Amino acid sequence: MTVTAPLHFAGYNLPKDRPNDAAFQSVQPGTPGGEYLRRFWHPFLLSEQLDHRPKVVRVLSEDLVVYRDLSGGLGLVHKHCAHRGASLEFGIVAEKGIRCCYHGWLFSNDGALLETPGEPPDSPLRKRVCQGAYPVIEIDGVIFAYLGPPDRRPPFPTMDAMVMPGNRMKPYLIASPCNWIQVAENSMDPFHVAFLHTRISGPQFSEVFGTLPLIDYHETPNGFFYTNARRVGDYIWVRSHDYLLPNFSQNGAIFENVERVRYFGRPGLTRWVTPVDDTHTLVIAWRHFNDRDDPSGLGRPEDVGVGKTDFYGQSDAAPYEQRQDSPGDWEAWVSQGPMTSHAREHLATTDKGVALLRRKLRRAIDALANGVEPLQAKPEATGAVATMAGDTILRIPLDPKQDDREVILHVCRAVAAALMETRHLPDGERRAAMQDRLSGLNTADASEINPDHGKIFEFKTLG
Ligand code: FES
Ligand SMILES: [Fe+2]
């Protein structure tokens, strides 16, 4: 809220409530936002979290039970048995499906009622009753579910970063007690990287992030991406960041130091932000490990998993005092509140990305409410959805005769255009095509190491 006067000691005059926008922020069944989210696949568990017993999970405000049956099939069903409501977390997994502990009803993984052992053989129940069930898919240690209408189920969108040659993926899952949109917005706010991660509490990644970036937004057939560009000595560094509605994003290399020319860096992670319910969220992502994007080997796969990842500020694992002295992303988005109040914010120029995301989300939610199905990511002929995230570094020393801001923006646009024009190519060919298109922009020897590159900094304790 804006007050005209006084602007000093105005605590008494300012509102104390923090109203939210439930139609937009809620994920519950039947709400506009909840129905919209039910048109997409969402990850909700790592395979390593599921043993031979059923497990209670909550996804999009629904209480569910996930299990692996004795033949290896996965089931995801409503928690309460269709008979008289006993929880299937106490069910016994069968060769195919799950049997409720209370009266022995057996359900297949798609929810069909297969056996009712206490009922007469000609009981009509099996033709009339089923258990609520949802399709699941398991990919490289991550389990995804689709909770929407069966006839609207989209194919799972395999992203190109999930099938990069010469890359190792390791998944992580971290919980945050807050609404999903504020977690998602963090990745549409590139300016926080200069403040939260660098200037305010000292470099948590590399000091090269401390310069405010020049940001440019680019539409793609599947969503949008933005480029952040900075000058680091003789080099121009363009970092591209994907966002696909509703909740998918990728950023560049986690430990980028801008050490040498690179034409086609690829993402350091492939991430979804999954709503558990209105005020709880899971970040589920694969970290990528390869020599191309982390030549110094700073990534630590052993620190990536359930409740943890190998870069700073993603959970509440560190001591509270350390998190106060050097807060990270987790502290920022969780402390906005269980469901942050948009009505009490004052959006500013650094929030252009956040405003863009909210506009696009609102438009898609309203469209679905009016019967228009949302856009789904389309794969290229390669079989994978082309993504853009990664770091491009070119050697273009400062030219005093030119406006450097214009030079940097020109490079950004050239990188964005090259990413778009090569998107139909498989990884190796796209890599070569990116080099072809961009190497001519170097104006000095591209083989040298940048003497002004970011320091290989000391890691802060992750907790
Ligand atoms: S409550 Fe599940 S079989 Fe009776
Ligand atoms: Fe961040």
Side-chain angles (χ1 to χ4, degrees):
M1 186 184 204
T2 305
V3 284
T4 43
L7 285 173
H8 306 282
F9 290 129
Y12 180 81
N13 307 89
L14 290 174
K16 317 296 183 294
D17 61 334
R18 294 184 61 76
N20 54 46
D21 181 353
F24 178 52
Q25 293 167 297
S26 177
V27 305
Q28 293 175 29
T31 61
E35 282 309 298
Y36 168 68
L37 288 161
R38 282 170 171 76
R39 294 298 193 276
F40 300 91
W41 287 94
H42 300 287
F44 66 96
L45 197 74
L46 301 193
S47 303
E48 65 179 281
Q49 295 177 280
L50 189 60
D51 60 16
H52 64 287
R53 293 191 181 89
K55 186 174 182 68
V56 175
V57 292
R58 197 162 155 76
V59 186
L60 301 181
S61 266
E62 294 187 37
D63 290 319
L64 306 169
V65 167
V66 59
Y67 60 89
R68 196 185 296 282
D69 69 17
L70 297 178
S71 55
L74 282 171
L76 178 67
V77 289
H78 287 175
K79 179 179 171 187
H80 297 288
C81 172
H83 177 215
R84 279 178 46 220
S87 172
L88 289 172
E89 76 197 274
F90 300 110
I92 306 300
V93 292
E95 186 57 30
K96 284 194 178 297
I98 189 165
R99 189 181 294 281
C100 178
C101 66
Y102 208 5
H103 311 90
W105 286 20
L106 175 70
F107 301 102
S108 67
N109 294 346
D110 65 4
L113 178 53
L114 301 176
E115 292 176 14
T116 49
E119 302 303 311
D122 58 349
S123 163
L125 278 168
R126 288 197 300 283
K127 294 203 179 64
R128 289 200 291 109
V129 176
C130 71
Q131 183 69 14
Y134 295 115
V136 288
I137 185 169
E138 186 173 26
I139 302 171
D140 265 297
V142 180
I143 305 175
F144 294 77
Y146 171 75
L147 271 65
D151 58 338
R152 297 289 182 191
R153 178 182 2 160
F156 179 83
T158 299
M159 305 295 173
D160 56 4
M162 294 163 57
V163 291
M164 285 188 289
N167 179 56
R168 176 183 171 201
M169 299 202 298
K170 190 152 186 224
Y172 69 85
L173 170 150
I174 298 175
S176 291
C178 64
N179 183 258
W180 75 279
I181 296 176
Q182 59 214 62
V183 181
E185 284 173 352
N186 174 272
S187 65
M188 282 301 292
D189 170 13
F191 292 100
H192 87 272
V193 179
F195 295 104
L196 178 70
H197 298 314
T198 317
R199 295 186 187 183
I200 303 293
S201 38
Q204 296 170 341
F205 297 91
S206 169
E207 68 271 58
V208 291
F209 286 103
T211 315
L212 285 183
L214 284 174
I215 307 289
D216 212 6
Y217 298 89
H218 316 272
E219 298 280 336
T220 77
N222 292 320
F224 55 101
F225 70 104
Y226 63 85
T227 43
N228 310 244
R230 295 170 170 91
R231 169 168 292 289
V232 183
D234 277 358
Y235 294 71
I236 292 177
W237 169 34
V238 181
R239 187 169 170 86
S240 302
H241 192 116
D242 290 301
Y243 201 101
L244 273 63
L245 291 184
N247 56 350
F248 174 84
S249 62
Q250 297 187 133
N251 48 247
I254 300 293
F255 302 111
E256 183 55 66
N257 282 315
V258 195
E259 228 171 51
R260 60 184 78 222
V261 163
R262 192 176 333 142
Y263 298 105
F264 187 48
R266 297 268 50 209
L269 49 73
T270 291
R271 171 180 50 206
W272 285 261
V273 171
T274 299
V276 173
D277 56 29
D278 287 353
T279 55
H280 294 86
T281 297
L282 294 174
V283 170
I284 300 186
W286 283 289
R287 273 281 283 120
H288 298 293
F289 298 98
N290 62 71
D291 297 340
R292 294 183 300 255
D293 294 309
D294 181 13
S296 308
L298 297 173
R300 288 164 298 166
E302 65 278 12
D303 287 337
V304 173
V306 177
K308 60 183 187 176
T309 191
D310 64 338
F311 58 101
Y312 191 77
Q314 302 306 299
S315 76
D316 63 347
Y320 180 64
E321 291 73 18
Q322 178 184 328
R323 295 191 292 113
Q324 278 196 294
D325 294 343
S326 185
D329 287 317
W330 197 94
E331 285 71 37
W333 65 53
V334 171
S335 68
Q336 288 176 296
M339 197 189 264
T340 195
S341 176
H342 295 173
R344 294 286 171 261
E345 295 173 333
H346 299 85
L347 295 190
T349 52
T350 57
D351 302 309
K352 199 172 160 195
V354 169
L356 176 72
L357 174 60
R358 288 184 191 172
R359 242 183 355 259
K360 283 182 178 285
L361 270 177
R362 274 186 200 280
R363 218 174 278 153
I365 290 170
D366 290 348
L368 180 62
N370 289 311
V372 180
E373 289 294 320
L375 180 79
Q376 299 285 346
K378 297 263 180 323
E380 301 292 330
T382 59
V385 175
T387 63
M388 312 293 164
D391 299 275
T392 293
I393 300 162
L394 298 171
R395 187 158 185 220
I396 306 172
L398 191 66
D399 177 351
K401 293 195 290 299
Q402 296 198 58
D403 177 347
D404 202 42
R405 193 187 149 86
E406 287 305 316
V407 173
I408 294 173
L409 281 174
H410 171 74
V411 172
C412 273
R413 287 176 189 141
V415 171
L419 286 166
M420 286 292 285
E421 286 158 17
T422 59
R423 69 182 191 275
H424 58 285
L425 297 172
D427 186 272
E429 285 172 45
R430 194 178 183 198
R431 205 166 279 285
M434 285 292 288
Q435 178 157 353
D436 268 5
R437 279 172 171 71
L438 298 176
S439 55
L441 295 179
N442 291 306
T443 55
D445 184 353
S447 63
E448 286 178 13
I449 297 225
N450 180 5
D452 299 309
H453 69 76
K455 283 196 205 70
I456 306 289
F457 49 93
E458 289 295 313
F459 286 107
K460 286 180 191 282
T461 336
L462 296 173

